[in-house]
Amino acid sequence: MKLDIANFHVNEIQFGEKTEYSEGILTINKKEALDVVFEDEHITEADLHIVRPGDEVRLVPVKEAIEPRYRVGGGPVFPGVTGKLMQAGNGVTHALKDMSVLVVGRHYGGFQDGLIDMSGEGAKYTYYSQLKNVVLVADTDEAFEHHEQQKKNHALRWAGMRLAEYIGACTKGLKSDEIETYQLEPVTKRSEKINKLPSVVFVMQPQSQMEDSGYNDLNYGWDCNLMLPTFMHPNEVLDGAMISGSFMPCSSKWSTYDFQNFPMIKRLYQEHGKTINFLGIIMSNLNVALEQKERAALFVAQMAKSLGADSAVVAEEGYGNPDADFTACYVALEDAGVKTVGLTNECTGRDGASQPLVSMDEKCDAIVSAGNVSSLIRLPAMKTVLGELEALARDGLSGGWSNDEVLGASVKPDGSIIMENNAMFCGDQVVGWSTKTMVEF
């Protein structure tokens, strides 16, 4: 499979009469874009905003991030989700770089929603403060979700994807600034030189714990809770096969933008043929019952061994219950003779003194930490809030609270906030964006 991602770098975003891209400037016809959003009758109100790095803007509750793209030759950007089912990972896809579409709730949030600051101290906690963002702020009539802690956010998430496809389509027929090419030879057809290198498989564990439909990550539109571990080409992930779900404490979340640009996949590609033989991806899942976790781990280990993997990288989306899947998979790979490195965050409490993972094993001796979800963060008021700041305290965001015996409410009368890192949108950046380092005392 060969995938060419044609990049169009966005230096500026503005509203105007015609949606078009020219010489680094993206212009959006706001009315047309909102018409795309309102194609879903459940959207009751919506507006678009443009925010840039350094703006004194706070976004909350943030639900999703998507990179605008266009599939050359036709077909949906997200096969099986926004259009017909078709193979991803082949051909040419246009991508608008240095920007994203952010989806923000106008009123109601949930524990899977987060916060982004575009400037100040808070900006360092999330990758999306570095991007120019088209922000969709909207509400729906899905009344059953208004006061539920766990939300599917279906209308808002799908509106974001449609909007990203609408914006990306303005690159149709244009010549890109650069092209990234991703290509792997079939596993059994590689050169002697490559086959002599240490072989590596990347094991991904996207969020899939909810047995009710509509919450989990999707693979070609397939609820990941229903799938068994399967071998995938990395190009499929980079080209829209994977969609972020709505169930996950927010700092641990992998947004759709993260899947489209997964840094760990790109890093393994960079080393392929040089220091490693990158075999591909085993797409696993995160299960509910212990037997389900053990079964998935056995499938992963068998696949890795059958592929001839010398080593593996395992990354989990989440913490807590998913830690049992993470360590079970790690141990099964080690028992199969596959040297394994883990990539995850930790939940060590506000004082950092608790056990980092729910499930531990002495064989899990090479884990890269992306930070502590429970670290306390204090941030001053921001000039502008898009969404509803009170959602952080009122609606059970995973890092916010309405009252604490010692700290009080997360949202203070002056607009300043105190929260756990948990509520930073995709803040732990387990996918590989993270710049966090360890400090010894």
Side-chain angles (χ1 to χ4, degrees):
M1 296 177 71
K2 180 184 178 184
L3 172 66
D4 287 330
I5 297 182
N7 293 329
F8 296 79
H9 290 279
V10 176
N11 300 321
E12 181 58 66
I13 307 174
Q14 61 187 18
F15 292 122
E17 294 184 2
K18 181 180 179 181
T19 298
E20 62 182 352
Y21 173 90
S22 178
E23 298 182 348
I25 299 175
L26 173 64
T27 304
I28 300 172
N29 181 309
K30 190 173 184 180
K31 181 184 181 303
E32 286 184 3
L34 285 172
D35 285 345
V36 171
V37 171
F38 280 110
E39 286 175 7
D40 188 329
E41 62 182 8
H42 292 291
I43 303 290
T44 56
E45 58 176 300
D47 199 2
L48 295 179
H49 305 263
I50 299 168
V51 299
R52 304 167 181 84
D55 286 352
E56 295 181 47
V57 177
R58 175 166 291 154
L59 313 172
V60 64
V62 185
K63 300 173 180 294
E64 174 66 299
I66 309 151
E67 183 170 79
R69 290 190 173 184
Y70 167 73
R71 190 176 299 282
V72 176
V77 173
F78 305 107
V81 179
T82 57
K84 66 179 181 179
L85 188 62
M86 60 179 290
Q87 182 76 62
N90 272 320
V92 180
T93 294
H94 289 182
L96 286 165
K97 308 303 291 186
D98 312 314
M99 69 161 294
S100 78
V101 169
L102 296 178
V103 181
V104 177
R106 175 64 186 88
H107 297 294
Y108 304 104
F111 92 120
Q112 65 283 317
D113 301 330
L115 179 145
I116 296 173
D117 274 1
M118 293 301 297
S119 64
E121 174 70 11
K124 72 182 183 182
Y125 289 97
T126 174
Y127 178 79
Y128 297 93
S129 64
Q130 304 173 40
L131 301 178
K132 306 164 196 74
N133 299 298
V134 176
V135 183
L136 168 63
V137 182
D139 195 17
T140 78
D141 64 3
E142 298 163 310
F144 69 98
E145 290 193 340
H146 284 178
H147 304 293
E148 292 293 325
Q149 191 179 32
Q150 297 175 353
K151 295 175 171 59
K152 297 182 180 181
N153 289 326
H154 183 276
L156 296 178
R157 290 161 57 213
W158 262 247
M161 285 186 280
R162 291 196 306 275
L163 179 59
E165 287 188 330
Y166 165 78
I167 295 172
C170 76
T171 64
K172 181 179 180 179
L174 301 182
K175 184 177 180 181
S176 65
D177 303 320
E178 63 185 12
I179 295 178
E180 298 176 24
T181 298
Y182 297 96
Q183 185 174 16
L184 285 180
E185 309 88 339
V187 173
T188 60
K189 305 294 184 182
R190 297 183 181 178
S191 69
E192 182 179 357
K193 176 185 175 182
I194 290 178
N195 283 329
K196 285 182 177 180
L197 296 171
S199 54
V200 181
V201 68
F202 184 29
V203 181
M204 297 175 64
Q205 295 179 312
Q207 183 52 233
S208 51
Q209 286 180 279
M210 293 294 281
E211 294 181 324
D212 188 14
S213 64
Y215 294 97
N216 297 315
D217 292 359
L218 301 179
N219 187 341
Y220 283 105
W222 190 19
D223 190 318
C224 289
N225 179 264
L226 304 176
M227 61 178 276
L228 290 171
T230 186
F231 184 66
M232 291 185 69
H233 197 289
N235 289 8
E236 296 178 278
V237 179
L238 297 176
D239 196 32
M242 296 297 299
I243 298 298
S244 176
S246 69
F247 175 78
M248 174 44 42
C250 203
S251 71
S252 306
K253 199 172 188 176
W254 297 349
S255 70
T256 297
Y257 183 102
D258 288 339
F259 280 117
Q260 292 172 297
N261 294 277
F262 218 97
M264 181 54 66
I265 295 176
K266 292 187 176 184
R267 184 75 174 112
L268 291 167
Y269 251 120
Q270 288 173 6
E271 295 301 318
H272 177 67
K274 300 175 184 175
T275 61
I276 65 169
N277 176 9
F278 181 24
L279 297 175
I281 291 172
I282 298 177
M283 189 65 68
S284 187
N285 51 6
L286 300 170
N287 298 281
V288 181
L290 183 59
E291 181 181 327
Q292 295 169 350
K293 298 173 187 291
E294 292 172 344
R295 184 182 297 112
L298 292 175
F299 269 95
V300 169
Q302 176 274 127
M303 276 189 220
K305 197 66 178 176
S306 297
L307 288 167
D310 298 310
S311 56
V313 177
V314 181
E316 69 165 327
E317 183 185 7
Y319 67 92
N321 185 286
D323 293 343
D325 302 78
F326 177 72
T327 55
C329 185
Y330 198 126
V331 170
L333 286 163
E334 287 282 342
D335 286 344
V338 180
K339 295 297 182 182
T340 303
V341 173
L343 180 59
T344 183
N345 54 9
E346 308 172 48
C347 184
T348 58
R350 293 177 182 175
D351 60 358
S354 299
Q355 179 172 307
L357 302 179
V358 168
S359 175
M360 300 289 285
D361 191 285
E362 62 184 8
K363 293 178 182 176
C364 302
D365 58 359
I367 295 178
V368 178
S369 171
N372 175 20
V373 302
S374 303
S375 297
L376 280 177
I377 298 172
R378 292 176 172 85
L379 297 173
M382 196 65 71
K383 183 178 180 181
T384 301
V385 174
L386 295 183
E388 190 170 61
L389 183 58
E390 187 56 35
L392 175 65
R394 182 194 64 217
D395 296 338
L397 270 65
S398 48
W401 52 87
S402 59
N403 189 40
D404 182 279
E405 291 182 1
V406 176
L407 302 173
S410 283
V411 179
K412 306 304 180 183
D414 65 353
S416 64
I417 60 175
I418 181 170
M419 54 179 265
E420 291 182 350
N421 175 65
N422 236 331
M424 280 294 173
F425 181 73
C426 300
D428 292 329
Q429 304 167 40
V430 176
V431 297
W433 304 115
S434 183
T435 57
K436 295 175 183 175
T437 57
M438 299 297 293
V439 177
E440 295 186 6
F441 295 94

mmCIF file of all heavy atoms in Angstrom, residues 4 20 42 44 48 68 78 100 109 132 163 167 197 245 257 270 282 330:
data_model
loop_
_atom_site.group_PDB
_atom_site.id
_atom_site.type_symbol
_atom_site.label_atom_id
_atom_site.label_comp_id
_atom_site.label_asym_id
_atom_site.label_seq_id
_atom_site.Cartn_x
_atom_site.Cartn_y
_atom_site.Cartn_z
ATOM 1 N N ASP A 4 0.077 8.796 -0.395
ATOM 2 C CA ASP A 4 0.677 10.127 -0.511
ATOM 3 C C ASP A 4 -0.236 11.122 0.191
ATOM 4 O O ASP A 4 -1.400 11.294 -0.200
ATOM 5 C CB ASP A 4 0.840 10.527 -1.987
ATOM 6 C CG ASP A 4 1.950 9.780 -2.689
ATOM 7 O OD1 ASP A 4 2.927 9.398 -2.019
ATOM 8 O OD2 ASP A 4 1.833 9.566 -3.910
ATOM 9 N N GLU A 20 -11.844 28.789 0.082
ATOM 10 C CA GLU A 20 -10.740 28.495 -0.826
ATOM 11 C C GLU A 20 -9.414 28.545 -0.085
ATOM 12 O O GLU A 20 -9.297 29.126 0.999
ATOM 13 C CB GLU A 20 -10.717 29.501 -1.976
ATOM 14 C CG GLU A 20 -10.508 30.940 -1.540
ATOM 15 C CD GLU A 20 -10.543 31.915 -2.697
ATOM 16 O OE1 GLU A 20 -10.570 31.449 -3.856
ATOM 17 O OE2 GLU A 20 -10.535 33.134 -2.453
ATOM 18 N N HIS A 42 -30.543 17.625 14.568
ATOM 19 C CA HIS A 42 -30.372 17.680 16.016
ATOM 20 C C HIS A 42 -29.510 18.869 16.460
ATOM 21 O O HIS A 42 -29.459 19.184 17.649
ATOM 22 C CB HIS A 42 -29.760 16.381 16.535
ATOM 23 C CG HIS A 42 -30.672 15.204 16.413
ATOM 24 N ND1 HIS A 42 -31.813 15.062 17.164
ATOM 25 C CD2 HIS A 42 -30.624 14.115 15.597
ATOM 26 C CE1 HIS A 42 -32.414 13.941 16.833
ATOM 27 N NE2 HIS A 42 -31.729 13.349 15.886
ATOM 28 N N THR A 44 -29.081 22.463 17.211
ATOM 29 C CA THR A 44 -30.044 23.538 17.472
ATOM 30 C C THR A 44 -29.420 24.924 17.375
ATOM 31 O O THR A 44 -30.113 25.895 17.057
ATOM 32 C CB THR A 44 -30.651 23.368 18.870
ATOM 33 O OG1 THR A 44 -29.584 23.327 19.843
ATOM 34 C CG2 THR A 44 -31.449 22.078 18.957
ATOM 35 N N LEU A 48 -19.202 29.579 14.291
ATOM 36 C CA LEU A 48 -17.800 29.284 14.001
ATOM 37 C C LEU A 48 -16.918 30.436 14.468
ATOM 38 O O LEU A 48 -17.280 31.605 14.319
ATOM 39 C CB LEU A 48 -17.590 29.071 12.504
ATOM 40 C CG LEU A 48 -18.277 27.868 11.855
ATOM 41 C CD1 LEU A 48 -17.967 27.835 10.366
ATOM 42 C CD2 LEU A 48 -17.836 26.568 12.517
ATOM 43 N N PRO A 68 -8.720 18.868 8.618
ATOM 44 C CA PRO A 68 -9.452 18.932 7.347
ATOM 45 C C PRO A 68 -8.682 18.229 6.225
ATOM 46 O O PRO A 68 -7.484 18.478 6.041
ATOM 47 C CB PRO A 68 -9.569 20.434 7.073
ATOM 48 C CG PRO A 68 -9.413 21.083 8.409
ATOM 49 C CD PRO A 68 -8.435 20.208 9.145
ATOM 50 N N PHE A 78 -13.492 9.713 5.898
ATOM 51 C CA PHE A 78 -13.605 8.725 6.967
ATOM 52 C C PHE A 78 -14.499 7.578 6.494
ATOM 53 O O PHE A 78 -15.710 7.576 6.733
ATOM 54 C CB PHE A 78 -14.162 9.372 8.237
ATOM 55 C CG PHE A 78 -13.359 10.571 8.688
ATOM 56 C CD1 PHE A 78 -13.862 11.853 8.531
ATOM 57 C CD2 PHE A 78 -12.103 10.407 9.240
ATOM 58 C CE1 PHE A 78 -13.125 12.956 8.935
ATOM 59 C CE2 PHE A 78 -11.345 11.502 9.643
ATOM 60 C CZ PHE A 78 -11.863 12.791 9.489
ATOM 61 N N SER A 100 -6.594 22.767 12.828
ATOM 62 C CA SER A 100 -7.558 21.706 13.078
ATOM 63 C C SER A 100 -8.954 22.303 13.164
ATOM 64 O O SER A 100 -9.118 23.527 13.274
ATOM 65 C CB SER A 100 -7.237 20.956 14.377
ATOM 66 O OG SER A 100 -7.656 21.693 15.515
ATOM 67 N N GLY A 109 -21.189 19.653 28.968
ATOM 68 C CA GLY A 109 -20.002 18.820 28.855
ATOM 69 C C GLY A 109 -20.197 17.508 29.584
ATOM 70 O O GLY A 109 -21.242 17.229 30.161
ATOM 71 N N LYS A 132 -3.589 26.708 14.467
ATOM 72 C CA LYS A 132 -4.673 27.627 14.132
ATOM 73 C C LYS A 132 -5.938 26.773 14.047
ATOM 74 O O LYS A 132 -5.936 25.745 13.369
ATOM 75 C CB LYS A 132 -4.384 28.315 12.807
ATOM 76 C CG LYS A 132 -3.019 29.006 12.778
ATOM 77 C CD LYS A 132 -2.603 29.334 11.361
ATOM 78 C CE LYS A 132 -1.120 29.644 11.293
ATOM 79 N NZ LYS A 132 -0.270 28.430 11.430
ATOM 80 N N LEU A 163 -17.763 19.133 8.651
ATOM 81 C CA LEU A 163 -17.128 20.442 8.479
ATOM 82 C C LEU A 163 -15.690 20.289 8.001
ATOM 83 O O LEU A 163 -15.234 21.023 7.114
ATOM 84 C CB LEU A 163 -17.183 21.207 9.800
ATOM 85 C CG LEU A 163 -16.552 22.607 9.827
ATOM 86 C CD1 LEU A 163 -17.204 23.521 8.804
ATOM 87 C CD2 LEU A 163 -16.657 23.204 11.230
ATOM 88 N N ILE A 167 -14.218 21.797 4.473
ATOM 89 C CA ILE A 167 -13.058 22.688 4.385
ATOM 90 C C ILE A 167 -11.953 22.055 3.547
ATOM 91 O O ILE A 167 -11.350 22.700 2.684
ATOM 92 C CB ILE A 167 -12.547 23.045 5.794
ATOM 93 C CG1 ILE A 167 -13.595 23.870 6.547
ATOM 94 C CG2 ILE A 167 -11.229 23.806 5.713
ATOM 95 C CD1 ILE A 167 -13.249 24.108 8.002
ATOM 96 N N LEU A 197 17.157 -6.512 9.874
ATOM 97 C CA LEU A 197 16.977 -5.533 10.944
ATOM 98 C C LEU A 197 16.000 -6.059 11.992
ATOM 99 O O LEU A 197 15.154 -6.901 11.697
ATOM 100 C CB LEU A 197 16.443 -4.221 10.359
ATOM 101 C CG LEU A 197 17.363 -3.484 9.389
ATOM 102 C CD1 LEU A 197 16.612 -2.327 8.720
ATOM 103 C CD2 LEU A 197 18.596 -2.962 10.110
ATOM 104 N N GLY A 245 -13.600 8.145 19.824
ATOM 105 C CA GLY A 245 -14.880 7.982 20.489
ATOM 106 C C GLY A 245 -15.129 9.110 21.475
ATOM 107 O O GLY A 245 -14.419 10.116 21.512
ATOM 108 N N TYR A 257 -7.850 13.773 15.090
ATOM 109 C CA TYR A 257 -6.631 14.422 14.594
ATOM 110 C C TYR A 257 -5.404 13.616 14.991
ATOM 111 O O TYR A 257 -4.464 13.461 14.193
ATOM 112 C CB TYR A 257 -6.544 15.841 15.153
ATOM 113 C CG TYR A 257 -5.356 16.648 14.655
ATOM 114 C CD1 TYR A 257 -5.517 17.605 13.669
ATOM 115 C CD2 TYR A 257 -4.069 16.453 15.178
ATOM 116 C CE1 TYR A 257 -4.436 18.352 13.207
ATOM 117 C CE2 TYR A 257 -2.985 17.193 14.721
ATOM 118 C CZ TYR A 257 -3.174 18.133 13.741
ATOM 119 O OH TYR A 257 -2.086 18.864 13.290
ATOM 120 N N GLN A 270 9.913 6.410 10.028
ATOM 121 C CA GLN A 270 11.212 7.070 9.827
ATOM 122 C C GLN A 270 12.377 6.111 10.022
ATOM 123 O O GLN A 270 13.411 6.218 9.362
ATOM 124 C CB GLN A 270 11.354 8.255 10.775
ATOM 125 C CG GLN A 270 10.488 9.450 10.425
ATOM 126 C CD GLN A 270 10.542 10.533 11.479
ATOM 127 O OE1 GLN A 270 11.317 10.452 12.438
ATOM 128 N NE2 GLN A 270 9.713 11.564 11.329
ATOM 129 N N ILE A 282 -0.824 -3.997 15.062
ATOM 130 C CA ILE A 282 -1.861 -4.882 15.597
ATOM 131 C C ILE A 282 -2.838 -3.981 16.338
ATOM 132 O O ILE A 282 -2.495 -3.376 17.348
ATOM 133 C CB ILE A 282 -1.293 -5.956 16.537
ATOM 134 C CG1 ILE A 282 -0.322 -6.872 15.785
ATOM 135 C CG2 ILE A 282 -2.435 -6.776 17.147
ATOM 136 C CD1 ILE A 282 0.349 -7.912 16.655
ATOM 137 N N TYR A 330 1.222 -6.669 27.435
ATOM 138 C CA TYR A 330 2.674 -6.529 27.628
ATOM 139 C C TYR A 330 3.274 -7.866 28.071
ATOM 140 O O TYR A 330 4.263 -8.348 27.490
ATOM 141 C CB TYR A 330 2.915 -5.458 28.697
ATOM 142 C CG TYR A 330 4.300 -4.864 28.764
ATOM 143 C CD1 TYR A 330 4.471 -3.481 28.696
ATOM 144 C CD2 TYR A 330 5.437 -5.657 28.922
ATOM 145 C CE1 TYR A 330 5.736 -2.908 28.773
ATOM 146 C CE2 TYR A 330 6.699 -5.091 29.009
ATOM 147 C CZ TYR A 330 6.843 -3.718 28.933
ATOM 148 O OH TYR A 330 8.096 -3.162 29.021
#
